[in-house]
Amino acid sequence: MQPVVHFKNVNKSYGALTAVDDLDLAIEPGQFVTLLGPSGCGKSTTLRMLGGFDSPTSGEIYLEGKPISHLPPNKRNVNIVFQDYALFPHLTVGRNIAFGLELKGMQHAAIHKRVTGLLSLVSLQDHAERMPAQLSGGQRQRVALMRALAPDPNVLLLDEPLSALDAKLRQQMQIELKSIQQKTGKTFIFVTHDQEEALTMSDVIVVMNKGRIEQMGGPDELYARPRSRFVADFIGQSNFLEGAVVSVSDGIAAVEWRGNVVHADVNGTSPVPGERATLALRPEALYCLSSKPEGRPALKGRVDQRVFKGAHTTLTVALENGSSLLVQIDPVALSHIEGDDVWVGWRDRDAVLLAN
Amino acid sequence: MKNLDVTRRSTLKLLATGAGVLAAPSIIRPAFAESKVVNITTYDKFVPQSFIDQFQKDTGIEVRIRLTDDQGKQYNLLTAEGATPSTDIVTVTGHRLSQFMKSNLLASLDTARLKNWDKLAAAYKGAPQLTVDGKTFGVPLLAGFEGLVRNTEYAKASDSWGIMFDDENKNLTSYIVSDFLSIVMRYQGNDGDYVTYGDKPDVAQTATNQARDFLIQHKDKVRKYYDAGSELQQMFVNEDIYLAQAWSGPAAKLVMDGHPIEISVPKEGTFGFLYSFNVVNNAPNADAAYTFLDAILSSPEIGAAMTRQSGFSSAFDGVDKVLNDKERAALSLPPEQVERIQFFSSINRDMKNDMIDKAAAEIKAA
Amino acid sequence: MRTYFNDLPKTALGASYWIFAVYLVLPLTLMTAMSFKDANFIAFPIGNWTLSWYAKVVQDKQFLEASLYSIGIALATTVSATIIGVWIALLVSAENIWGKAVIFALACLPAVVPGLINAISMRIFIRTVDIPTGTFAIILAHTVHAVPFVVIMVLTRLRSMPANLVDAARDLGADPFIAFLRVTIPYLMPALFGGMIFCVLTSIDDFVRTFFLGGYQPTLPMLIFAKVQGGMSPEINAMATIVLVVTTAIGIYAEHFTRRSRS
Amino acid sequence: MLDTTTQPRSVGLPTAPRYAGWIGRAASSGLYRNTIGLLVDSRRVRLAVLAGVPLLWIAMLHIGPILQMANISLLANYPPQPDKSSEYTLANYGLFFSDRLYFVPFVRSLVFAAVVTISTLVIVYPVAYYVAKVVQPKNRMRALLLLLIPFWAGELIRTFSVIMLLANRGALNVLLREFGFIDRPIPMLYTFFSLSFGVIYLLALYMLLPLYSAIEKIPTPLIQAAADLGAGPFQRFRRVILPLSKDGIVSGCSLVYLTAVGVFAAPLLLGGPNSVIFPEVIATLFHGSNDKWPEGAAFSMIMLVVSLTTVGLFMRIVGGRSVRLM
């Protein structure tokens, strides 16, 4: 299938500063794609280039196979939901949504029908006559979304649209956004720095760092199989173990780490014995036992700190080899209080080797 | 060189027009030069409306009046317009006449074209102050003088300008600095009109400085240096001042209105001047201007209306008979005082204006 | 006790407001009162009262003509100054424009040049480029004077405008011109309204520029000044009172209008 | 913000909104697309249109007249006279520095303007604060409007009304005499007092509006927070309100100062023998019996440069960033 959006070797620099570095990205139609990364990673610039508010320094952007880099924003069939919504304060909700339709030269009756339809999609059909200032944050968010959807764009761009909402509303909107995306079948490109948002809604997550793509894939894949330390660190929490490769067999690498030999999935890398390597280990992948287990690898340590977090509890375990690990356990477990001796281990495939 | 200049100017013109079109209801140059129009710059109500209506009906010439309040601004306007004036007739006071003439703004008058010229009072026909090199400038309208004005209820009568410097009148006097300088020079026995100083600038400067220093020394007597006749009237009415040097017109109007005011000419004497209508040099409608001037001379009623409006005496013959008793009384002076009036000359104006202006500025700045 | 101390500054502030209001309004009240005085000159006490000055003013053809002329000039000035002012403000607020600060400073120049100097230099200038004195020249001079105020007001408002409002309009299919018409202009409305009121007031009030650039038709201030020259009589107070009442009525209507459109 | 209970705007008139307004229709028409639509598509055309008219306007009508005046200030004679030279000279500027005569009114003008500016600030600040922060928001416009009414009467009328108030037989003196406080009228008119009174009366608007808008923008919670942290009224004013209204103070002071430096009619009508200021000197050079346009133009240039420099320095020292009026 032809990608709906294709960035081909796109560079964008402002003077000496490189915002986007040789970006090559193809997006399939109908997907919910999230550009995830810390601020300054180039995700917003990428979005603005797609929207037509910035032009690439070099490279070309294709929308449905046609180059669009030279087109002004008003000639591109993409629409943006802005971070602060950018609703026109002097127009009613209805007129805000009708804005793009009016400019297409549509007649009153057709516009009216479409506006009403879109508003009922988000249960705001009674609010067509209100001014944006009279709406709540979540309502404004919905209006902005419907305004951007109204002209029936190929691709909808969302620039951190949830950042201004409170935590509870944000979760609610995540679900709503995803369902609207599914109902309309449009390609959504969503920009955020919030990994939770990304994991909840996306079909594909593109993790960006310093203007480059770090890794791209489905949420579970990214979570379970981070390819780089940056991704492992940015999405969820990880323990990082640095050691030297001892041997590789059957996709499992043995790594010498502080006098112990530990195991991890090679994760698509091709480790060479003797080389240094880093492996990433999710806290929830660790098991924690009061006594040394039989037939399973385990390292001995002592509970240093215990933090109750509601859905789970985290332990900081000081190992005998001098390092410490973050371990996540069942919150109702009454054992493993501070000062207890514990054995910590993991299944070989739950640890992943990172690319150097 | 000439070519270059033309190009630059037309470029500027083009640019100005371009910028102007944005704001322009019309860029068309108004038709100043129409045969059936006469443009007059003058004072409010100076020319009676009834006369204008009649004149327009009789001759078919449209009268356009531009109101002015200040000789200086009128002069600046004419100067700025240069060789293409938009005015046909201007109203000039005697002591300003030379300035207008020097800048070549006025055309000399062909009195033969005015068949009513004889209706002027004898004294003003070809008056010396309107004559330069044998040519006549302007139709005299009104005559006035610089008088000593006092509030008869508060200020005691005096026959000398010296009363203006009496300690009794501290903070109670007012005058127009430049005019009063001339009078003080006269008071001090010098030639306040500079007629005799043509080749003696040193003597003139000494005399001027003497008057200047005297006025600075007596600055504590002054409540205000004023400019306009209405200011003077207001100060007298409000009792801010009791004593002043003033043009006779505004003061006479106070008298006509029944205020306790008296105008006199002290024994040291004073200066007189004429208001005149003048045809502007290169006037776009000179013919219409002559028709208008001739018509205005035709009736003493018009002279009387001007007198009522301004408070000055008319230069037309027979106006006395038209005025009522109260008006006549306000305008009349005892014969011995009339003799003390010396009309401003048009000789040696540059020296006079330079020295007086400088001294006036120094007095104000002191 | 605590509330007493808290209220003290508030009371003082209220007092300062009302004293100031009296300071502003009292002289005008006197002026209005004087318009009923039955005498040729102005002074207290008023003595006999009369309405005859109003009768005189209302029948005065000159006054009516001058008023209409002034209003016409003010409207033309307002329209042109608003267009030019907004245009300059847009240029100054645009990104990537070289010498922005200089352009802004020059745009404000006429506001800080004293009126007299402004008028004279303008008079010399229009002679240089061969524009005749008269209505057009007056409007030009008034516009030059009013433009800086419009620029400042519009610029202040533009600075507070969220940048992505225009982006949003562009995104929804508006070209730059349509985005300007449909988004920027409505957003600027309060500033434009303020600027327009300012233009009207300065234009109607202007005397010195009008004198130097005017033709034969007197504007209101020219007429009043010329009449004043003939002696301060209550007739002028009557004129001023009428002007004041009319402008106040317009102002109150404008306030009413903005309040209604805001709610 | 979260006012979801508000009724739709037109309660009694449930009209369906009319979409497809004239702008939309025009913008989508072929005519528009092929004319303006095409033009604005080009960045170069857009820039030319954006910059062209303003730059032309400023060059022609803002700078042009001043340059012409600067030109005249360097001429030996203007308007040109046949018998006199019209060479370029610096003598007109030299005149200003050579004579105390012009220097005294000049300094007087600057000092006078400064005093007026500070007085206006002190008088108007509490008023602006009261309107912006104490008056209920719905009454604010009305409170402001009451203060604006006098400014619609025109400069001339306002000046004359001050005379009616302060003259020896003006309202104030008549009143004082009526109540027996004084026997003789107090001469208030034609003094520095009456001049300042009148000029402040004329210019208060230029201070009021910028101050009001600056103070109005200070978030009230900030002031409450300061109070909560134990700051008394004075502390709150000095540490919170004053710094936050700096922009308004700078704008207001600049406007009032620049206008006060060049104020012309009021000093003529309200000033006394000892309050002659510089604009009158300049006007005399233009209006005096002997025309001295070049000198007048030179003095105008000096006044322009000095007053603008003063304000520039003031802004730099105080650190105001933007000039605003409302």
Side-chain angles (χ1 to χ4, degrees):
Chain A
M1 203 180 337
Q2 186 191 38
V4 62
V5 172
H6 192 180
F7 288 84
K8 211 166 189 178
N9 305 107
V10 170
N11 281 283
K12 176 69 187 174
S13 47
Y14 301 97
L17 186 86
T18 304
V20 171
D21 191 358
D22 200 26
L23 182 75
D24 217 84
L25 174 64
I27 291 169
E28 302 299 323
Q31 284 192 320
F32 197 120
V33 179
T34 299
L35 303 185
L36 176 68
S39 58
C41 73
K43 58 187 193 299
S44 287
T45 309
T46 307
L47 197 75
R48 288 182 65 80
M49 284 195 289
L50 187 52
F53 299 107
D54 270 325
S55 49
T57 313
S58 68
E60 183 60 69
I61 304 168
Y62 297 90
L63 186 67
E64 298 190 314
K66 293 183 202 80
I68 56 162
S69 298
H70 63 283
L71 284 180
N74 46 316
K75 301 247 164 117
R76 301 179 179 205
N77 202 9
V78 295
N79 288 127
I80 301 191
V81 177
F82 288 89
Q83 188 168 3
D84 55 0
Y85 320 139
L87 293 178
F88 305 125
H90 60 286
L91 298 180
T92 59
V93 166
R95 281 203 159 273
N96 260 286
I97 296 174
F99 193 95
L101 303 175
E102 288 187 44
L103 290 170
K104 287 190 160 184
M106 274 168 75
Q107 293 304 306
H108 165 73
I111 297 178
H112 189 263
K113 192 165 160 244
R114 178 132 178 87
V115 169
T116 315
L118 285 167
L119 279 175
S120 55
L121 195 63
V122 285
S123 315
L124 285 174
Q125 52 273 53
D126 298 339
H127 292 57
E129 286 285 84
R130 299 238 178 128
M131 300 308 276
Q134 295 170 304
L135 301 181
S136 70
Q139 287 172 329
R140 275 185 234 179
Q141 158 80 75
R142 292 183 183 97
V143 173
L145 186 65
M146 290 307 120
R147 185 180 70 176
L149 277 174
D152 201 20
N154 304 28
V155 179
L156 188 77
L157 312 179
L158 303 104
D159 187 8
E160 308 214 18
L162 304 181
S163 59
L165 304 177
D166 61 62
K168 194 151 186 188
L169 197 53
R170 198 182 310 175
Q171 280 180 348
Q172 197 184 318
M173 282 306 299
Q174 287 169 15
I175 295 161
E176 200 170 326
L177 265 181
K178 179 72 188 167
S179 89
I180 288 171
Q181 192 263 332
Q182 280 162 351
K183 263 187 243 172
T184 58
K186 301 245 169 261
T187 310
F188 276 34
I189 300 179
F190 186 93
V191 157
T192 186
H193 62 269
D194 185 318
Q195 43 127 347
E196 189 209 319
E197 276 175 23
L199 294 174
T200 313
M201 296 184 285
S202 316
D203 297 322
V204 176
I205 298 175
V206 181
V207 182
M208 293 186 70
N209 184 31
K210 294 178 181 162
R212 292 173 162 276
I213 297 179
E214 283 278 341
Q215 191 175 353
M216 184 174 159
D220 42 359
E221 184 194 341
L222 277 180
Y223 191 84
R225 294 279 176 265
R227 297 283 297 279
S228 66
R229 181 167 182 150
F230 176 81
V231 175
D233 200 26
F234 195 76
I235 299 177
Q237 276 182 308
S238 286
N239 294 295
F240 295 105
L241 281 51
E242 287 175 34
V245 178
V246 179
S247 64
V248 184
S249 71
D250 199 18
I252 300 290
V255 175
E256 207 233 280
W257 175 62
R258 293 183 176 237
N260 302 102
V261 173
V262 294
H263 294 90
D265 194 305
V266 293
N267 193 27
T269 64
S270 33
V272 178
E275 260 192 358
R276 297 207 58 76
T278 304
L279 56 92
L281 196 49
R282 296 286 181 196
E284 64 269 25
L286 287 159
Y287 49 80
C288 188
L289 303 164
S290 305
S291 54
K292 189 170 169 36
E294 291 297 322
R296 287 203 265 173
L299 301 165
K300 189 165 186 260
R302 176 177 289 154
V303 178
D304 211 27
Q305 196 182 35
R306 182 189 164 103
V307 180
F308 176 68
K309 287 195 171 169
H312 58 258
T313 293
T314 57
L315 304 177
T316 309
V317 177
L319 296 180
E320 279 184 327
N321 65 15
S323 86
S324 67
L325 288 176
L326 210 58
V327 185
Q328 187 172 316
I329 59 165
D330 194 343
V332 290
L334 293 173
S335 54
H336 315 320
I337 58 167
E338 273 113 335
D340 279 1
D341 283 339
V342 289
W343 275 263
V344 179
W346 62 89
R347 293 185 314 183
D348 293 352
R349 299 236 174 244
D350 284 349
V352 293
L353 216 55
L354 300 175
N356 284 325
Chain B
M1 196 60 212
K2 192 163 192 272
N3 252 339
L4 193 82
D5 199 49
V6 167
T7 327
R8 195 197 58 194
R9 200 155 143 170
S10 43
T11 313
L12 282 173
K13 208 159 135 185
L14 191 76
L15 289 174
T17 313
V21 162
L22 284 160
S26 91
I27 184 91
I28 305 150
R29 185 185 161 101
F32 290 121
E34 287 169 18
S35 59
K36 288 293 185 187
V37 167
V38 60
N39 305 301
I40 303 168
T41 305
T42 186
Y43 297 89
D44 182 42
K45 292 186 194 131
F46 220 62
V47 185
Q49 189 61 43
S50 56
F51 167 74
I52 293 175
D53 292 342
Q54 190 62 42
F55 177 78
Q56 295 190 133
K57 220 168 92 188
D58 292 350
T59 62
I61 296 171
E62 187 195 343
V63 179
R64 294 192 196 149
I65 304 274
R66 165 154 40 188
L67 295 180
T68 180
D69 56 83
D70 183 324
Q71 291 280 317
K73 277 189 216 152
Q74 194 174 291
Y75 172 79
N76 281 346
L77 200 64
L78 272 183
T79 320
E81 285 175 349
T84 53
S86 59
T87 310
D88 300 303
I89 296 175
V90 287
T91 315
V92 184
T93 56
H95 68 297
R96 281 282 194 163
L97 192 64
S98 58
Q99 186 195 11
F100 279 76
M101 288 191 300
K102 192 188 69 187
S103 299
N104 215 15
L105 299 175
L106 304 178
S108 66
L109 207 61
D110 180 3
T111 54
R113 290 176 71 180
L114 299 169
K115 60 179 189 298
N116 289 322
W117 183 252
D118 284 344
K119 295 194 174 170
L120 283 173
Y124 300 111
K125 259 180 268 180
Q129 57 270 26
L130 294 176
T131 310
V132 177
D133 300 336
K135 283 185 244 170
T136 303
F137 284 87
V139 175
L141 302 172
L142 296 164
F145 61 93
E146 315 237 22
L148 175 65
V149 183
R150 74 178 176 104
N151 181 322
T152 53
E153 285 175 9
Y154 297 109
K156 65 169 194 252
S158 167
D159 197 24
S160 166
W161 286 110
I163 190 80
M164 291 282 285
F165 313 112
D166 196 313
D167 279 339
E168 205 173 280
N169 294 316
K170 212 168 207 161
N171 209 11
L172 285 172
T173 72
S174 186
Y175 49 80
I176 301 169
V177 183
S178 51
D179 289 359
F180 199 49
L181 262 167
S182 285
I183 293 172
V184 171
M185 287 171 75
R186 201 180 160 107
Y187 169 73
Q188 291 174 328
N190 296 314
D191 179 3
D193 203 25
Y194 294 67
V195 180
T196 57
Y197 293 148
D199 49 355
K200 295 178 282 190
D202 302 347
V203 182
Q205 194 61 64
T206 314
T208 312
N209 290 348
Q210 190 188 342
R212 176 197 70 193
D213 295 342
F214 188 71
L215 284 179
I216 292 174
Q217 182 195 335
H218 289 287
K219 204 171 179 176
D220 59 334
K221 314 297 186 300
V222 182
R223 186 69 195 277
K224 174 159 181 64
Y225 303 127
Y226 76 95
D227 294 295
S230 62
E231 281 182 81
L232 174 97
Q233 292 169 340
Q234 206 54 51
M235 285 190 287
F236 268 114
V237 172
N238 275 329
E239 297 174 2
D240 286 317
I241 54 168
Y242 296 160
L243 210 58
Q245 163 268 330
W247 299 354
S248 51
K253 281 192 77 180
L254 286 175
V255 180
M256 288 181 205
D257 201 50
H259 291 269
I261 299 293
E262 181 196 79
I263 322 163
S264 64
V265 180
K267 60 174 186 283
E268 295 89 358
T270 191
F271 298 100
F273 49 83
L274 285 176
Y275 278 90
S276 57
F277 270 165
N278 284 266
V279 179
V280 173
N281 213 359
N282 297 324
N285 312 294
D287 289 342
Y290 272 100
T291 313
F292 181 82
L293 290 178
D294 203 33
I296 217 157
L297 282 167
S298 64
S299 150
E301 285 292 348
I302 299 163
M306 288 182 179
T307 291
R308 285 192 197 104
Q309 173 56 22
S310 65
F312 291 112
S313 310
S314 178
F316 298 180
D317 214 9
V319 169
D320 262 16
K321 297 176 191 90
V322 184
L323 296 174
N324 67 30
D325 290 347
K326 208 171 171 186
E327 287 161 351
R328 248 197 314 276
L331 294 171
S332 66
L333 277 177
E336 75 273 13
Q337 291 195 16
V338 174
E339 277 166 28
R340 294 169 184 166
I341 300 173
Q342 175 198 339
F343 274 85
F344 280 125
S345 159
S346 53
I347 299 165
N348 202 20
R349 292 304 88 179
D350 274 353
M351 181 198 281
K352 178 185 174 186
N353 291 337
D354 271 342
M355 288 186 181
I356 294 264
D357 280 354
K358 181 105 195 293
E362 281 165 345
I363 291 168
K364 284 181 180 176
Chain C
M1 205 55 194
R2 202 186 140 82
T3 51
Y4 171 75
F5 277 117
N6 269 353
D7 282 351
L8 190 64
K10 215 170 254 190
T11 316
L13 284 172
S16 77
Y17 172 84
W18 287 109
I19 292 170
F20 187 68
V22 168
Y23 164 69
L24 290 182
V25 175
L26 183 68
L28 290 176
T29 317
L30 298 177
M31 181 206 67
T32 302
M34 205 57 94
S35 68
F36 299 103
K37 184 180 164 84
D38 190 8
N40 285 327
F41 290 94
I42 295 168
F44 282 98
I46 287 173
N48 297 323
W49 298 68
T50 176
L51 276 172
S52 63
W53 293 114
Y54 284 94
K56 209 172 167 188
V57 170
V58 172
Q59 289 163 13
D60 188 347
K61 218 177 84 192
Q62 254 185 331
F63 173 70
L64 197 73
E65 277 171 9
S67 306
L68 289 178
Y69 187 51
S70 276
I71 290 168
I73 286 175
L75 292 181
T77 300
T78 304
V79 171
S80 44
T82 307
I83 292 173
I84 301 281
V86 169
W87 214 320
I88 293 176
L90 283 177
L91 176 67
V92 173
S93 70
E95 287 164 42
N96 312 323
I97 295 291
W98 179 85
K100 249 193 258 189
V102 178
I103 296 174
F104 177 66
L106 290 175
C108 291
L109 195 60
V112 296
V113 178
L116 178 81
I117 294 165
N118 207 324
I120 291 172
S121 65
M122 203 68 187
R123 182 65 192 85
I124 297 166
F125 183 75
I126 68 163
R127 185 190 163 192
T128 316
V129 296
D130 216 4
I131 297 174
T133 52
T135 312
F136 177 66
I138 299 177
I139 293 171
L140 202 62
H142 287 193
T143 305
V144 167
H145 179 59
V147 157
F149 296 97
V150 177
V151 171
I152 291 171
M153 282 187 187
V154 169
L155 215 51
T156 312
R157 181 86 184 152
L158 269 180
R159 291 212 172 108
S160 77
M161 177 166 168
N164 54 21
L165 276 191
V166 171
D167 284 354
R170 300 273 279 123
D171 185 62
L172 290 166
D175 67 32
F177 184 61
I178 299 287
F180 170 72
L181 280 186
R182 286 215 57 188
V183 176
T184 312
I185 287 285
Y187 188 84
L188 290 180
M189 236 30 221
L192 292 182
F193 201 73
M196 284 176 180
I197 289 179
F198 196 88
C199 291
V200 170
L201 294 183
T202 50
S203 168
I204 287 189
D205 191 22
D206 188 274
F207 172 72
V208 70
R209 289 175 194 82
T210 314
F211 181 86
F212 275 95
L213 301 162
Y216 282 88
Q217 236 174 320
T219 64
L220 211 49
M222 276 169 83
L223 183 76
I224 290 177
F225 208 80
K227 281 190 181 291
V228 163
Q229 215 56 24
M232 273 293 276
S233 83
E235 183 190 355
I236 293 150
N237 295 45
M239 274 186 191
T241 304
I242 292 173
V243 173
L244 187 64
V245 167
V246 171
T247 45
T248 307
I250 294 171
I252 287 171
Y253 173 77
E255 191 259 347
H256 195 72
F257 175 78
T258 42
R259 182 199 294 263
R260 215 179 33 193
S261 64
R262 233 183 309 134
S263 64
Chain D
M1 211 58 132
L2 285 158
D3 189 8
T4 46
T5 58
T6 317
Q7 291 298 310
R9 267 206 304 171
S10 41
V11 179
L13 285 156
T15 48
R18 279 306 299 186
Y19 298 120
W22 66 271
I23 295 183
R25 252 177 286 143
S28 55
S29 72
L31 180 69
Y32 176 87
R33 282 203 179 140
N34 293 320
T35 52
I36 302 176
L38 271 182
L39 284 177
V40 294
D41 255 3
S42 154
R43 225 186 115 70
R44 205 170 293 164
V45 170
R46 247 169 25 225
L47 199 68
V49 171
L50 180 65
V53 170
L55 291 182
L56 197 66
W57 175 273
I58 290 173
M60 285 299 294
L61 294 161
H62 290 193
I63 312 173
I66 302 282
L67 285 185
Q68 177 72 349
M69 196 169 71
N71 178 32
I72 289 174
S73 77
L74 292 168
L75 288 173
N77 272 293
Y78 192 93
Q81 282 167 33
D83 55 332
K84 282 185 181 166
S85 78
S86 55
E87 284 167 7
Y88 283 96
T89 170
L90 277 172
N92 304 319
Y93 288 92
L95 183 68
F96 176 80
F97 296 101
S98 67
D99 206 329
R100 212 179 74 86
L101 173 59
Y102 302 116
F103 203 66
V104 172
F106 181 70
V107 173
R108 205 185 268 163
S109 238
L110 295 184
V111 172
F112 172 72
V115 170
V116 163
T117 307
I118 293 165
S119 316
T120 313
L121 178 65
V122 171
I123 292 168
V124 171
Y125 199 100
V127 178
Y129 185 85
Y130 178 79
V131 179
K133 285 290 163 206
V134 182
V135 174
Q136 297 290 316
K138 67 180 161 75
N139 291 329
R140 246 175 234 167
M141 204 61 201
R142 246 171 240 171
L144 207 56
L145 213 62
L146 175 65
L147 303 185
L148 296 190
I149 286 173
F151 296 96
W152 300 345
E155 187 181 341
L156 221 57
I157 304 295
R158 272 182 285 162
T159 311
F160 281 119
S161 63
V162 169
I163 293 179
M164 279 175 244
L165 181 68
L166 298 181
N168 274 15
R169 266 178 70 187
L172 215 53
N173 269 316
V174 167
L175 212 65
L176 288 174
R177 256 197 290 192
E178 203 69 19
F179 285 106
F181 291 122
I182 49 171
D183 307 324
R184 284 175 58 100
I186 307 169
M188 285 179 280
L189 208 53
Y190 313 124
T191 58
F192 258 117
F193 167 74
S194 64
L195 181 54
S196 316
F197 187 98
V199 172
I200 292 173
Y201 190 56
L202 290 178
L203 303 184
L205 171 78
Y206 296 108
M207 187 66 89
L208 181 69
L209 291 184
L211 275 185
Y212 166 78
S213 77
I215 297 173
E216 202 229 21
K217 287 204 181 70
I218 301 174
T220 307
L222 221 56
I223 303 169
Q224 286 162 347
D228 191 51
L229 292 169
F234 178 73
Q235 286 281 328
R236 284 205 296 272
F237 172 71
R238 206 178 65 82
R239 306 278 294 270
V240 180
I241 301 165
L242 199 59
L244 286 175
S245 56
K246 199 164 73 177
D247 261 9
I249 295 174
V250 170
S251 307
C253 287
S254 308
L255 276 173
V256 169
Y257 182 83
L258 285 170
T259 321
V261 165
V263 75
F264 172 63
L268 282 187
L269 293 169
L270 299 175
N274 293 314
S275 60
V276 175
I277 56 178
F278 202 58
E280 194 185 335
V281 174
I282 294 178
T284 313
L285 291 169
F286 279 106
H287 281 192
S289 333
N290 273 16
D291 36 297
K292 294 182 170 168
W293 286 28
E295 288 93 333
F299 285 22
S300 305
M301 293 304 293
I302 291 171
M303 188 171 123
L304 202 59
V305 169
V306 171
S307 54
L308 290 184
T309 313
T310 314
V311 169
L313 282 176
F314 169 70
M315 283 175 131
R316 173 134 309 180
I317 291 166
V318 180
R321 269 158 191 278
S322 63
V323 180
R324 63 153 163 250
L325 207 60
M326 273 201 89

